[in-house]
Amino acid sequence: MRFGFWTKNSQSYEDILECCAHAEATGWDGLWFADHFMPNEENVDQPIQEAWSILAALAAAVPRVRLGPLVAGNTYRNPALTAKIAATIDHISGGRVVLGIGAGWQENEHEAYGFDFGSLRSRMDRFDEAVEIISSLLGSHRTDFAGDYYAIAEAPLDPKPVQEPISLLIGGGGRRRTLRTTARWATEWNYWGMPDDIAELCEVLDGHCEDIGRDPAEISRSACALLFISEDSASLDRFRGRDMGRATIVGTPAEVSDVVEQYREVGVDELIIPDFTFGPMDAKKHSMDLFINEVAPNFR
């Protein structure tokens, strides 16, 4: 199994670089960054860093690890621009980029910045066209496409990524559309979920693969979950059983290892841990180290 580190986008670049460099030096396998321009909450007067810019800087500053957006919102950029950005950063990194992409969901930033939000159906239709264009640009000499949302003519993309092909990750759990698009185009799939959630959606993804004649094993699977970890079990009691609004792992290293084993059993290839619950830098590094030193070795 791989273990990815996802650092929050509301920090200064100096703090982002410090914790990401620490992740690389201590044995984490990947760095991930959310693609948003403002918080999804009432108080929007908070700093938010732009994802691809940060990833370009990390590609130059932090060696070895894979890195990518989790995930880039399709509605924020023309797909040709997304492909060009990813290919460029792949060269900066020496071939370590994962092009993570999703249909887009955060309505308040669409309204604030004038991005067309539309209906869920229109966003998914746009997303299908965009993924097809990106895949063609990254792998073909020239790309022609005429759809309802995008049209490009004899479009090149040079230089091509260092990777052949670059890894394309699709994020989301929509059973009918997102997972069908994943089955057709992606090399990786990601979802926020506990092991039972992942197992259920993997069955749906495998079914879509079967429908189009693709081997499901060609698509690696990753999961995200918040983490509260401590050697002091009593200090974790206030977090146990609380509804955090998303998948959450709470426990000592041994207890966390039991949950990670469940992820492995349902076919998860990479567990991605956000630092959103880790607190200031010293506490963050302590939680990171506790996980990577006491939990991760059991699965490598």
Side-chain angles (χ1 to χ4, degrees):
M1 269 182 98
R2 295 190 302 261
F3 297 98
F5 174 70
W6 179 358
T7 192
K8 56 189 175 184
N9 57 4
S10 58
Q11 305 170 90
S12 68
Y13 173 66
E14 291 76 15
D15 284 351
I16 291 169
L17 178 58
E18 181 176 348
C19 62
C20 287
H22 182 76
E24 190 280 331
T26 53
W28 293 75
D29 301 297
L31 302 175
W32 302 94
F33 205 80
D35 182 31
H36 292 291
F37 305 128
M38 60 190 286
N40 186 36
E41 53 189 74
E42 185 174 346
N43 176 20
V44 299
D45 294 321
Q46 303 175 53
I48 298 292
Q49 307 283 5
E50 197 279 322
W52 285 114
S53 303
I54 292 292
L55 290 166
L58 294 175
V62 181
R64 184 181 63 81
V65 292
R66 304 193 321 152
L67 68 167
L70 203 65
V71 287
N74 177 59
T75 47
Y76 305 144
R77 303 168 189 87
N78 180 281
L81 176 60
T82 298
K84 174 62 77 171
I85 292 170
T88 300
I89 299 177
D90 199 53
H91 279 266
I92 295 170
S93 71
R96 295 181 283 124
V97 163
V98 179
L99 201 175
I101 192 166
W105 61 270
Q106 190 170 314
E107 188 170 3
N108 70 339
E109 60 191 351
H110 287 77
E111 294 174 349
Y113 294 107
F115 299 121
D116 181 21
F117 191 62
S119 65
L120 176 59
R121 179 174 181 175
S122 70
R123 291 198 305 279
M124 293 308 305
D125 289 344
R126 250 185 300 180
F127 183 59
D128 284 342
E129 289 189 10
V131 173
E132 183 172 352
I133 289 169
I134 289 169
S135 298
S136 180
L137 285 167
L138 292 171
S140 303
H141 180 60
R142 292 283 189 273
T143 295
D144 286 288
F145 186 90
D148 294 330
Y149 297 92
Y150 304 107
I152 61 176
E154 282 294 297
L157 191 142
D158 291 306
K160 290 289 190 279
V162 174
Q163 303 174 73
E164 295 183 7
I166 195 170
S167 189
L168 178 65
L169 177 150
I170 289 178
R175 295 163 177 262
R176 190 174 67 88
R177 295 292 301 272
T178 302
L179 293 178
R180 186 177 68 190
T181 303
T182 301
R184 185 177 180 192
W185 297 109
T187 54
E188 302 186 32
W189 168 70
N190 174 264
Y191 185 69
W192 273 96
M194 297 303 289
D196 287 348
D197 306 318
I198 301 297
E200 186 176 344
L201 291 173
C202 280
E203 289 185 6
V204 178
L205 177 57
D206 292 350
H208 285 302
C209 288
E210 183 179 352
D211 290 343
I212 63 172
R214 186 177 183 191
D215 182 357
E218 294 177 0
I219 304 171
S220 66
R221 292 104 196 276
S222 62
C224 304
L226 298 175
L227 176 66
F228 295 90
I229 186 170
S230 173
E231 294 166 310
D232 178 9
S233 181
S235 70
L236 297 167
D237 287 346
R238 67 186 186 276
F239 302 115
R240 299 182 192 275
R242 282 177 54 184
D243 181 6
M244 301 293 178
R246 56 183 63 185
T248 304
I249 305 169
V250 181
T252 62
E255 292 171 325
V256 171
S257 293
D258 290 341
V259 179
V260 176
E261 175 59 30
Q262 295 172 36
Y263 279 109
R264 181 166 67 175
E265 289 175 353
V266 301
V268 169
D269 302 289
E270 179 173 2
L271 181 61
I272 298 172
I273 302 295
D275 67 1
F276 309 164
T277 60
F278 287 174
M281 189 63 70
D282 287 347
K284 179 185 302 190
K285 289 181 178 178
H286 178 72
S287 292
M288 292 170 67
D289 293 349
L290 198 55
F291 180 88
I292 208 66
N293 293 326
E294 301 296 329
V295 177
N298 299 320
F299 305 94
R300 288 176 164 165

